[in-house]
PDB file of all heavy atoms in Angstrom:
ATOM      1  N   PRO A  72       9.850 -27.493   6.311  1.00 88.00           N
ATOM      2  CA  PRO A  72       9.509 -28.257   5.100  1.00 88.00           C
ATOM      3  C   PRO A  72       8.148 -28.934   5.187  1.00 88.00           C
ATOM      4  O   PRO A  72       7.443 -29.031   4.173  1.00 88.00           O
ATOM      5  CB  PRO A  72      10.637 -29.296   5.019  1.00 88.00           C
ATOM      6  CG  PRO A  72      11.786 -28.653   5.736  1.00 88.00           C
ATOM      7  CD  PRO A  72      11.172 -27.860   6.850  1.00 88.00           C
ATOM      8  N   GLU A  73       7.751 -29.366   6.369  1.00 88.00           N
ATOM      9  CA  GLU A  73       6.477 -30.063   6.512  1.00 88.00           C
ATOM     10  C   GLU A  73       5.284 -29.110   6.387  1.00 88.00           C
ATOM     11  O   GLU A  73       4.178 -29.528   6.053  1.00 88.00           O
ATOM     12  CB  GLU A  73       6.422 -30.800   7.857  1.00 88.00           C
ATOM     13  CG  GLU A  73       7.422 -31.935   7.971  1.00 88.00           C
ATOM     14  CD  GLU A  73       7.288 -32.669   9.290  1.00 88.00           C
ATOM     15  OE1 GLU A  73       6.393 -32.275  10.082  1.00 88.00           O
ATOM     16  OE2 GLU A  73       8.046 -33.614   9.523  1.00 88.00           O
ATOM     17  N   MET A  74       5.522 -27.841   6.681  1.00 90.00           N
ATOM     18  CA  MET A  74       4.435 -26.851   6.648  1.00 90.00           C
ATOM     19  C   MET A  74       4.483 -25.971   5.402  1.00 90.00           C
ATOM     20  O   MET A  74       3.617 -25.123   5.218  1.00 90.00           O
ATOM     21  CB  MET A  74       4.516 -25.945   7.889  1.00 90.00           C
ATOM     22  CG  MET A  74       4.405 -26.681   9.210  1.00 90.00           C
ATOM     23  SD  MET A  74       2.757 -27.387   9.430  1.00 90.00           S
ATOM     24  CE  MET A  74       1.772 -25.900   9.565  1.00 90.00           C
ATOM     25  N   ARG A  75       5.483 -26.201   4.537  1.00 89.00           N
ATOM     26  CA  ARG A  75       5.715 -25.269   3.427  1.00 89.00           C
ATOM     27  C   ARG A  75       4.511 -25.164   2.480  1.00 89.00           C
ATOM     28  O   ARG A  75       4.085 -24.063   2.123  1.00 89.00           O
ATOM     29  CB  ARG A  75       6.953 -25.697   2.648  1.00 89.00           C
ATOM     30  CG  ARG A  75       7.323 -24.708   1.514  1.00 89.00           C
ATOM     31  CD  ARG A  75       8.653 -25.100   0.921  1.00 89.00           C
ATOM     32  NE  ARG A  75       9.693 -25.018   1.932  1.00 89.00           N
ATOM     33  CZ  ARG A  75      10.825 -25.728   1.906  1.00 89.00           C
ATOM     34  NH1 ARG A  75      11.011 -26.611   0.933  1.00 89.00           N
ATOM     35  NH2 ARG A  75      11.735 -25.592   2.842  1.00 89.00           N
ATOM     36  N   GLU A  76       3.962 -26.299   2.074  1.00 90.00           N
ATOM     37  CA  GLU A  76       2.862 -26.279   1.114  1.00 90.00           C
ATOM     38  C   GLU A  76       1.645 -25.556   1.693  1.00 90.00           C
ATOM     39  O   GLU A  76       1.023 -24.717   1.022  1.00 90.00           O
ATOM     40  CB  GLU A  76       2.476 -27.709   0.726  1.00 90.00           C
ATOM     41  CG  GLU A  76       1.418 -27.767  -0.369  1.00 90.00           C
ATOM     42  CD  GLU A  76       1.116 -29.194  -0.809  1.00 90.00           C
ATOM     43  OE1 GLU A  76       1.853 -30.115  -0.428  1.00 90.00           O
ATOM     44  OE2 GLU A  76       0.109 -29.364  -1.530  1.00 90.00           O
ATOM     45  N   PHE A  77       1.330 -25.866   2.953  1.00 91.00           N
ATOM     46  CA  PHE A  77       0.208 -25.191   3.623  1.00 91.00           C
ATOM     47  C   PHE A  77       0.478 -23.697   3.744  1.00 91.00           C
ATOM     48  O   PHE A  77      -0.403 -22.860   3.480  1.00 91.00           O
ATOM     49  CB  PHE A  77      -0.005 -25.811   5.009  1.00 91.00           C
ATOM     50  CG  PHE A  77      -1.001 -25.065   5.853  1.00 91.00           C
ATOM     51  CD1 PHE A  77      -2.365 -25.202   5.636  1.00 91.00           C
ATOM     52  CD2 PHE A  77      -0.574 -24.199   6.871  1.00 91.00           C
ATOM     53  CE1 PHE A  77      -3.283 -24.504   6.412  1.00 91.00           C
ATOM     54  CE2 PHE A  77      -1.486 -23.500   7.639  1.00 91.00           C
ATOM     55  CZ  PHE A  77      -2.843 -23.659   7.412  1.00 91.00           C
ATOM     56  N   ALA A  78       1.723 -23.349   4.116  1.00 89.00           N
ATOM     57  CA  ALA A  78       2.084 -21.942   4.313  1.00 89.00           C
ATOM     58  C   ALA A  78       2.000 -21.160   3.005  1.00 89.00           C
ATOM     59  O   ALA A  78       1.543 -20.001   2.983  1.00 89.00           O
ATOM     60  CB  ALA A  78       3.490 -21.845   4.906  1.00 89.00           C
ATOM     61  N   GLU A  79       2.438 -21.772   1.908  1.00 91.00           N
ATOM     62  CA  GLU A  79       2.399 -21.079   0.626  1.00 91.00           C
ATOM     63  C   GLU A  79       0.958 -20.808   0.183  1.00 91.00           C
ATOM     64  O   GLU A  79       0.668 -19.762  -0.412  1.00 91.00           O
ATOM     65  CB  GLU A  79       3.140 -21.910  -0.430  1.00 91.00           C
ATOM     66  CG  GLU A  79       4.657 -21.866  -0.243  1.00 91.00           C
ATOM     67  CD  GLU A  79       5.400 -22.763  -1.230  1.00 91.00           C
ATOM     68  OE1 GLU A  79       4.722 -23.545  -1.951  1.00 91.00           O
ATOM     69  OE2 GLU A  79       6.642 -22.680  -1.275  1.00 91.00           O
ATOM     70  N   ASP A  80       0.055 -21.749   0.471  1.00 91.00           N
ATOM     71  CA  ASP A  80      -1.366 -21.509   0.181  1.00 91.00           C
ATOM     72  C   ASP A  80      -1.899 -20.343   1.007  1.00 91.00           C
ATOM     73  O   ASP A  80      -2.668 -19.513   0.515  1.00 91.00           O
ATOM     74  CB  ASP A  80      -2.183 -22.771   0.481  1.00 91.00           C
ATOM     75  CG  ASP A  80      -1.975 -23.860  -0.561  1.00 91.00           C
ATOM     76  OD1 ASP A  80      -1.505 -23.527  -1.662  1.00 91.00           O
ATOM     77  OD2 ASP A  80      -2.269 -25.034  -0.254  1.00 91.00           O
ATOM     78  N   GLU A  81      -1.473 -20.293   2.281  1.00 92.00           N
ATOM     79  CA  GLU A  81      -1.901 -19.204   3.166  1.00 92.00           C
ATOM     80  C   GLU A  81      -1.360 -17.857   2.680  1.00 92.00           C
ATOM     81  O   GLU A  81      -2.055 -16.831   2.741  1.00 92.00           O
ATOM     82  CB  GLU A  81      -1.417 -19.471   4.600  1.00 92.00           C
ATOM     83  CG  GLU A  81      -2.154 -20.596   5.299  1.00 92.00           C
ATOM     84  CD  GLU A  81      -3.615 -20.247   5.536  1.00 92.00           C
ATOM     85  OE1 GLU A  81      -3.878 -19.261   6.239  1.00 92.00           O
ATOM     86  OE2 GLU A  81      -4.490 -20.947   4.978  1.00 92.00           O
ATOM     87  N   ILE A  82      -0.135 -17.861   2.199  1.00 92.00           N
ATOM     88  CA  ILE A  82       0.472 -16.623   1.703  1.00 92.00           C
ATOM     89  C   ILE A  82      -0.286 -16.118   0.475  1.00 92.00           C
ATOM     90  O   ILE A  82      -0.591 -14.924   0.358  1.00 92.00           O
ATOM     91  CB  ILE A  82       1.968 -16.848   1.362  1.00 92.00           C
ATOM     92  CG1 ILE A  82       2.769 -17.082   2.656  1.00 92.00           C
ATOM     93  CG2 ILE A  82       2.530 -15.655   0.597  1.00 92.00           C
ATOM     94  CD1 ILE A  82       4.176 -17.557   2.423  1.00 92.00           C
ATOM     95  N   LYS A  83      -0.602 -17.049  -0.449  1.00 93.00           N
ATOM     96  CA  LYS A  83      -1.341 -16.662  -1.659  1.00 93.00           C
ATOM     97  C   LYS A  83      -2.721 -16.110  -1.301  1.00 93.00           C
ATOM     98  O   LYS A  83      -3.142 -15.064  -1.812  1.00 93.00           O
ATOM     99  CB  LYS A  83      -1.484 -17.856  -2.597  1.00 93.00           C
ATOM    100  CG  LYS A  83      -2.195 -17.525  -3.910  1.00 93.00           C
ATOM    101  CD  LYS A  83      -2.327 -18.730  -4.801  1.00 93.00           C
ATOM    102  CE  LYS A  83      -2.960 -18.360  -6.132  1.00 93.00           C
ATOM    103  NZ  LYS A  83      -4.261 -17.678  -5.988  1.00 93.00           N
ATOM    104  N   THR A  84      -3.410 -16.809  -0.394  1.00 92.00           N
ATOM    105  CA  THR A  84      -4.737 -16.347   0.033  1.00 92.00           C
ATOM    106  C   THR A  84      -4.641 -14.984   0.694  1.00 92.00           C
ATOM    107  O   THR A  84      -5.467 -14.084   0.442  1.00 92.00           O
ATOM    108  CB  THR A  84      -5.368 -17.352   1.013  1.00 92.00           C
ATOM    109  OG1 THR A  84      -5.493 -18.620   0.375  1.00 92.00           O
ATOM    110  CG2 THR A  84      -6.738 -16.875   1.473  1.00 92.00           C
ATOM    111  N   GLY A  85      -3.618 -14.800   1.537  1.00 90.00           N
ATOM    112  CA  GLY A  85      -3.432 -13.529   2.233  1.00 90.00           C
ATOM    113  C   GLY A  85      -3.164 -12.381   1.284  1.00 90.00           C
ATOM    114  O   GLY A  85      -3.716 -11.282   1.443  1.00 90.00           O
ATOM    115  N   ARG A  86      -2.346 -12.626   0.256  1.00 93.00           N
ATOM    116  CA  ARG A  86      -2.050 -11.563  -0.716  1.00 93.00           C
ATOM    117  C   ARG A  86      -3.275 -11.210  -1.547  1.00 93.00           C
ATOM    118  O   ARG A  86      -3.492 -10.038  -1.884  1.00 93.00           O
ATOM    119  CB  ARG A  86      -0.889 -11.994  -1.610  1.00 93.00           C
ATOM    120  CG  ARG A  86       0.456 -11.943  -0.874  1.00 93.00           C
ATOM    121  CD  ARG A  86       1.591 -12.503  -1.699  1.00 93.00           C
ATOM    122  NE  ARG A  86       2.857 -12.348  -0.981  1.00 93.00           N
ATOM    123  CZ  ARG A  86       3.976 -12.995  -1.289  1.00 93.00           C
ATOM    124  NH1 ARG A  86       3.984 -13.852  -2.317  1.00 93.00           N
ATOM    125  NH2 ARG A  86       5.079 -12.804  -0.588  1.00 93.00           N
ATOM    126  N   ASP A  87      -4.081 -12.225  -1.888  1.00 92.00           N
ATOM    127  CA  ASP A  87      -5.339 -11.949  -2.599  1.00 92.00           C
ATOM    128  C   ASP A  87      -6.263 -11.091  -1.734  1.00 92.00           C
ATOM    129  O   ASP A  87      -6.924 -10.168  -2.227  1.00 92.00           O
ATOM    130  CB  ASP A  87      -6.043 -13.259  -2.958  1.00 92.00           C
ATOM    131  CG  ASP A  87      -5.322 -14.025  -4.069  1.00 92.00           C
ATOM    132  OD1 ASP A  87      -4.479 -13.415  -4.757  1.00 92.00           O
ATOM    133  OD2 ASP A  87      -5.586 -15.235  -4.220  1.00 92.00           O
ATOM    134  N   ASN A  88      -6.292 -11.399  -0.432  1.00 91.00           N
ATOM    135  CA  ASN A  88      -7.105 -10.613   0.498  1.00 91.00           C
ATOM    136  C   ASN A  88      -6.616  -9.179   0.582  1.00 91.00           C
ATOM    137  O   ASN A  88      -7.425  -8.236   0.602  1.00 91.00           O
ATOM    138  CB  ASN A  88      -7.098 -11.246   1.895  1.00 91.00           C
ATOM    139  CG  ASN A  88      -7.992 -12.460   1.990  1.00 91.00           C
ATOM    140  OD1 ASN A  88      -8.917 -12.621   1.208  1.00 91.00           O
ATOM    141  ND2 ASN A  88      -7.718 -13.332   2.957  1.00 91.00           N
ATOM    142  N   LEU A  89      -5.294  -8.998   0.635  1.00 92.00           N
ATOM    143  CA  LEU A  89      -4.728  -7.642   0.699  1.00 92.00           C
ATOM    144  C   LEU A  89      -5.151  -6.824  -0.522  1.00 92.00           C
ATOM    145  O   LEU A  89      -5.540  -5.657  -0.389  1.00 92.00           O
ATOM    146  CB  LEU A  89      -3.202  -7.702   0.775  1.00 92.00           C
ATOM    147  CG  LEU A  89      -2.566  -8.121   2.107  1.00 92.00           C
ATOM    148  CD1 LEU A  89      -1.053  -8.042   2.016  1.00 92.00           C
ATOM    149  CD2 LEU A  89      -3.062  -7.256   3.260  1.00 92.00           C
ATOM    150  N   GLU A  90      -5.069  -7.432  -1.685  1.00 91.00           N
ATOM    151  CA  GLU A  90      -5.435  -6.732  -2.921  1.00 91.00           C
ATOM    152  C   GLU A  90      -6.917  -6.347  -2.914  1.00 91.00           C
ATOM    153  O   GLU A  90      -7.285  -5.224  -3.274  1.00 91.00           O
ATOM    154  CB  GLU A  90      -5.125  -7.636  -4.124  1.00 91.00           C
ATOM    155  CG  GLU A  90      -5.281  -6.941  -5.463  1.00 91.00           C
ATOM    156  CD  GLU A  90      -4.863  -7.832  -6.618  1.00 91.00           C
ATOM    157  OE1 GLU A  90      -4.045  -8.750  -6.397  1.00 91.00           O
ATOM    158  OE2 GLU A  90      -5.365  -7.611  -7.739  1.00 91.00           O
ATOM    159  N   ARG A  91      -7.759  -7.278  -2.478  1.00 92.00           N
ATOM    160  CA  ARG A  91      -9.201  -7.024  -2.433  1.00 92.00           C
ATOM    161  C   ARG A  91      -9.530  -5.934  -1.414  1.00 92.00           C
ATOM    162  O   ARG A  91     -10.314  -5.019  -1.694  1.00 92.00           O
ATOM    163  CB  ARG A  91      -9.952  -8.310  -2.083  1.00 92.00           C
ATOM    164  CG  ARG A  91     -11.450  -8.148  -1.899  1.00 92.00           C
ATOM    165  CD  ARG A  91     -12.097  -9.460  -1.493  1.00 92.00           C
ATOM    166  NE  ARG A  91     -11.509 -10.015  -0.289  1.00 92.00           N
ATOM    167  CZ  ARG A  91     -11.795  -9.594   0.942  1.00 92.00           C
ATOM    168  NH1 ARG A  91     -12.641  -8.589   1.128  1.00 92.00           N
ATOM    169  NH2 ARG A  91     -11.237 -10.169   1.993  1.00 92.00           N
ATOM    170  N   ILE A  92      -8.919  -6.013  -0.221  1.00 92.00           N
ATOM    171  CA  ILE A  92      -9.207  -5.035   0.840  1.00 92.00           C
ATOM    172  C   ILE A  92      -8.695  -3.653   0.449  1.00 92.00           C
ATOM    173  O   ILE A  92      -9.369  -2.643   0.685  1.00 92.00           O
ATOM    174  CB  ILE A  92      -8.577  -5.487   2.176  1.00 92.00           C
ATOM    175  CG1 ILE A  92      -9.218  -6.798   2.643  1.00 92.00           C
ATOM    176  CG2 ILE A  92      -8.760  -4.418   3.246  1.00 92.00           C
ATOM    177  CD1 ILE A  92      -8.463  -7.470   3.780  1.00 92.00           C
ATOM    178  N   GLU A  93      -7.514  -3.600  -0.177  1.00 89.00           N
ATOM    179  CA  GLU A  93      -6.970  -2.300  -0.580  1.00 89.00           C
ATOM    180  C   GLU A  93      -7.875  -1.629  -1.606  1.00 89.00           C
ATOM    181  O   GLU A  93      -8.118  -0.417  -1.534  1.00 89.00           O
ATOM    182  CB  GLU A  93      -5.565  -2.460  -1.152  1.00 89.00           C
ATOM    183  CG  GLU A  93      -4.933  -1.119  -1.509  1.00 89.00           C
ATOM    184  CD  GLU A  93      -3.483  -1.233  -1.945  1.00 89.00           C
ATOM    185  OE1 GLU A  93      -2.917  -2.342  -1.865  1.00 89.00           O
ATOM    186  OE2 GLU A  93      -2.912  -0.208  -2.367  1.00 89.00           O
TER     187      GLU A  93
END
Side-chain angles (χ1 to χ4, degrees):
E73 294 183 1
M74 300 293 293
R75 184 172 298 154
E76 185 176 349
F77 172 77
E79 286 176 351
D80 286 341
E81 288 294 299
I82 291 169
K83 182 181 183 305
T84 300
R86 286 174 176 164
D87 289 344
N88 283 337
L89 285 183
E90 188 176 335
R91 175 183 56 79
I92 296 168
E93 183 174 354

